[in-house]
Amino acid sequence: MTPWFYGFDFIRRDAFWKTMEEVWNVTVVENETVAKTLGKKMTRIGAQTGFRTRSQTLNATMIRNRRDTIFRQLFQHSRTEGIGNVCSSIISRGMDKPGAKYTVIEVPGQNPWNGRLHEFTGHNHTAAFEMKPDYVKSILEPLQMLDHPVFLETKNAGFDPNREEVKRLIQDPSIKTQESDVTKKLHFAVLADVFIGNPASHWSLMVARMRYALGIKNTFVLTEQRGDAWVSYIDDTNYAELYDDAKIGPWMG
């Protein structure tokens, strides 16, 4: 995460590591060997991705509370210590002007893992995976956001940016999609007035967790239909589900 928040890769910088340790109450280690000397059992995530260690005693609420603190600290320190302007993507698109409002959508694509999410959550996310214009409009219209710009994240997970899910949104005249792609623009997504995400995307779920931690409204990643509208079944009071391994499975992060 450090390039998004601080503008450089997480290589050894003693002063920076010390700051992070003090702010987050963590110990930064250089490699697996050092971690093992501290008694940490590491689980490899893929051949190149890295490692994780998970507590056997913390419940979902405790994990959420700790992550909330970390996310808030990340945004606090990115503003004061970041290299360059972390909000440059917002400024360059004119969304920093008074009264400006915008939506960000991470557009899903076909993925064999999509169906697995139904099993863990107990909810059918087909409508979110299809991301048809009617689904998007049912969310934006009650919020009076159909007259405001809609920015798309189209290339996450290496998806073809010209896939059908993207074309449908661009071709619908009532959705004001913009030409500028905002894939991996973290601050732009987190600070959007509305965020509509791909429920099987680690990126969308990370953005959702950050938005909830910061108290930002209108996050639609895990949704269900109520009447004619699609709403989030997670809100400001019950989003610990995003940290519950039994309910979110491999998407817990």
Side-chain angles (χ1 to χ4, degrees), residues 15 50 101 138 164 183 195 198 207 253:
K101 295 182 178 181
S138 80
E164 186 61 30
T183 297
F195 178 75
N198 171 5
V207 169

Side-chain angles (χ1 to χ4, degrees), residues 7 14 39 57 77 120 140 150-151 175 178 196 239:
D14 288 343
T57 59
H77 285 267
F120 281 99
L140 296 183
V150 175
F151 294 88
I175 300 176
Q178 307 297 298
I196 303 175
Y239 65 96

Side-chain angles (χ1 to χ4, degrees), residues 51-69:
F51 300 89
R52 76 178 182 199
T53 181
R54 182 170 293 169
S55 170
Q56 301 301 311
T57 59
L58 299 179
N59 60 34
T61 300
M62 295 164 70
I63 295 172
R64 178 203 63 189
N65 293 345
R66 177 157 175 73
R67 294 284 186 89
D68 278 359
T69 299

Side-chain angles (χ1 to χ4, degrees), residues 132-238:
K132 291 181 179 179
D134 284 348
Y135 173 80
V136 171
K137 287 185 282 189
S138 80
I139 293 172
L140 296 183
E141 188 170 16
L143 299 173
Q144 299 182 330
M145 287 293 291
L146 278 176
D147 290 332
H148 297 278
V150 175
F151 294 88
L152 305 181
E153 297 181 322
T154 67
K155 295 177 287 191
N156 285 341
F159 287 131
D160 177 2
N162 297 310
R163 61 192 179 280
E164 186 61 30
E165 291 86 351
V166 175
K167 288 180 179 179
R168 285 195 297 252
L169 296 176
I170 293 175
Q171 292 169 358
D172 191 301
S174 59
I175 300 176
K176 298 186 181 302
T177 55
Q178 307 297 298
E179 293 184 5
S180 177
D181 185 279
V182 294
T183 297
K184 298 300 185 189
K185 301 295 183 183
L186 183 65
H187 286 76
F188 197 76
V190 171
L191 298 178
D193 296 274
V194 181
F195 178 75
I196 303 175
N198 171 5
S201 162
H202 285 283
W203 173 266
S204 280
L205 290 168
M206 179 176 72
V207 169
R209 291 180 181 108
M210 290 180 175
R211 288 172 64 88
Y212 286 124
L214 296 174
I216 299 175
K217 306 291 186 181
N218 301 326
T219 301
F220 301 87
V221 180
L222 301 179
T223 59
E224 64 183 7
Q225 190 172 19
R226 296 178 188 169
D228 295 330
W230 286 89
V231 300
S232 175
Y233 62 80
I234 288 181
D235 59 31
D236 296 351
T237 62
N238 72 356

